Amino acid sequence: MTVGPGPAGDPGLQPERTRLAWRRSLLALTAVTVLTVRLALTGDATGAVLAGAAVAGWAAALALCWGRAVGSGPVRATSRTMPALALAAAWQATLGVLLVLRGLG
């Protein structure tokens, strides 16, 4: 009996778990964007600018991740995808802090 590496190209459930993780990330970012836009649209120009910035960050993340989330893109992230998604999430967090500080002032 020989023990060696498994058959090549047998990914198991890992690609499905990866697609589900991308979908969860996009869903979370979508929810944060909707809440940010809702909080930002209070009638003044600053809120409209912040809402537009939130939607722009969401659209950039969506464009980067959509192929992986639906399974038509590569399973593994490229060297630019993960930092870009992290930047979009940090952008949303920064906008949220700005909106909260604007509401407190």
Side-chain angles (χ1 to χ4, degrees), residues 54-98:
V55 171
W58 172 78
L62 185 66
L64 285 171
C65 302
W66 184 255
R68 290 171 183 86
V70 297
S72 63
V75 174
R76 290 187 173 251
T78 62
S79 61
R80 293 179 291 185
T81 305
M82 294 305 289
L85 186 60
L87 184 63
W91 177 249
Q92 296 289 354
T94 303
L95 287 175
V97 168
L98 289 174

Side-chain angles (χ1 to χ4, degrees), residues 32-78:
V32 168
T33 301
V34 167
L35 293 173
T36 302
V37 168
R38 182 173 180 251
L39 185 60
L41 294 178
T42 57
D44 60 347
T46 305
V49 169
L50 292 175
V55 171
W58 172 78
L62 185 66
L64 285 171
C65 302
W66 184 255
R68 290 171 183 86
V70 297
S72 63
V75 174
R76 290 187 173 251
T78 62

